[in-house]
Amino acid sequence: MESQVRNLIGNGTTIKGDIESNGDIRIDGRLIGSLKSNGKVVIGQTGVMEGDLSCKQAEVSGVVKGNINTDELTALKATSKVEVDLNTKQLLIEVGAQFTGKCTMGQQSTVAMPKQKIG
């Protein structure tokens, strides 16, 4: 059962550490660490995330440095500045968004892929 809980990290708040949630999360403050959510993650215009993001959907208006892995849609809004390796099913990039990194689309999540044997 999916949770409808909404979590907020407000502007002026800094969290250092990893977060896991079944609900939606909005970050208007700063997160230094990884975030895993079974819901939608919104990084607001004042939001900054330094770490790996894994979620169902992501909407970025702020700054993200790390890796983004989404099961469905990743939306980079006009005010976003991202330096990431991105793995997503669908991608929306608005005019003005700053994207630096690598993007893989339409493939199974790299997190869920089995490790290959060497040799």
Side-chain angles (χ1 to χ4, degrees):
M1 183 170 130
E2 245 180 74
S3 170
Q4 295 303 314
V5 175
R6 292 192 173 97
N7 301 285
L8 172 66
I9 299 173
N11 192 0
T13 300
T14 298
I15 294 180
K16 295 180 182 178
D18 299 335
I19 297 174
E20 290 187 28
S21 174
N22 287 327
D24 295 345
I25 298 179
R26 181 177 177 97
I27 299 174
D28 289 317
R30 183 181 193 99
L31 172 63
I32 302 170
S34 69
L35 171 58
K36 292 181 182 178
S37 172
N38 292 329
K40 181 177 181 178
V41 174
V42 176
I43 311 292
Q45 284 191 6
T46 58
V48 176
M49 181 175 171
E50 297 176 40
D52 295 340
L53 171 60
S54 180
C55 59
K56 189 179 226 178
Q57 294 182 5
E59 179 180 303
V60 181
S61 297
V63 176
V64 179
K65 293 182 181 181
N67 298 306
I68 298 177
N69 187 357
T70 58
D71 294 332
E72 295 177 3
L73 173 69
T74 301
L76 304 179
K77 300 297 187 175
T79 55
S80 67
K81 294 178 183 174
V82 294
E83 293 179 27
V84 298
D85 283 346
L86 173 63
N87 184 0
T88 186
K89 186 173 182 182
Q90 296 177 314
L91 178 62
L92 172 87
I93 302 178
E94 290 184 355
V95 173
Q98 296 179 26
F99 173 71
T100 304
K102 171 176 87 168
C103 179
T104 304
M105 287 181 58
Q107 295 184 2
Q108 183 180 3
S109 163
T110 56
V111 174
M113 292 175 68
K115 294 185 179 184
Q116 296 183 8
K117 291 182 180 179
I118 298 175

